[in-house]
Amino acid sequence: AFESLDNYKTAKQGQVYILYSPAYPSWVKIGMAVDAEDRLKQFQTGSPYRDYILIKAYDTDDRRKAETEAHKRARLISEEHKGEWFKINKESAINIISSLN
């Protein structure tokens, strides 16, 4: 298990993703993970309704760099933000992560 954790911390490749919860319809989470589906499962365990939805995941060679750039772009257009959560519509979030190079 510790070997896997070390690999997670040092792995550059992965995904930038967008999560959404119907409980907060104006907000999206833009985050990074080695595997967005696995990250979604972690969120589901924290929600009694298991209502988080993975909207989009973008494969990248450097997930940290891509997430930083996505957050920078999202802050420019969001009404509000709290950490990795942004008050923007889903389409705008998709456009942000789809345009990452």
Side-chain angles (χ1 to χ4, degrees):
F2 291 110
E3 183 179 320
S4 295
L5 182 59
D6 287 340
N7 289 339
Y8 177 81
K9 288 179 180 177
T10 60
K12 281 187 146 191
Q13 291 181 322
Q15 298 179 315
V16 174
Y17 62 83
I18 304 166
L19 287 183
Y20 163 79
S21 171
Y24 306 99
S26 302
W27 292 80
V28 297
K29 179 186 188 303
I30 300 175
M32 68 162 180
V34 171
D35 182 305
E37 289 287 341
D38 281 345
R39 187 69 179 115
L40 176 64
K41 290 175 190 171
Q42 293 172 349
F43 266 86
Q44 300 297 24
T45 61
S47 170
Y49 302 109
R50 310 290 192 260
D51 59 350
Y52 285 97
I53 299 164
L54 179 63
I55 296 173
K56 177 96 173 150
Y58 166 81
D59 293 323
T60 180
D61 290 334
D62 189 336
R63 60 193 166 98
R64 287 176 181 84
K65 182 179 176 183
E67 181 196 45
T68 298
E69 181 61 26
H71 287 175
K72 179 180 161 185
R73 294 179 188 185
R75 281 191 298 273
L76 292 174
I77 63 169
S78 66
E79 295 177 38
E80 292 181 63
H81 68 289
K82 296 179 182 179
E84 296 184 329
W85 288 90
F86 298 89
K87 192 171 186 180
I88 57 176
N89 65 50
K90 291 175 258 183
E91 293 77 19
S92 294
I94 291 168
N95 288 338
I96 288 169
I97 69 166
S98 294
S99 69
L100 295 172
N101 295 330

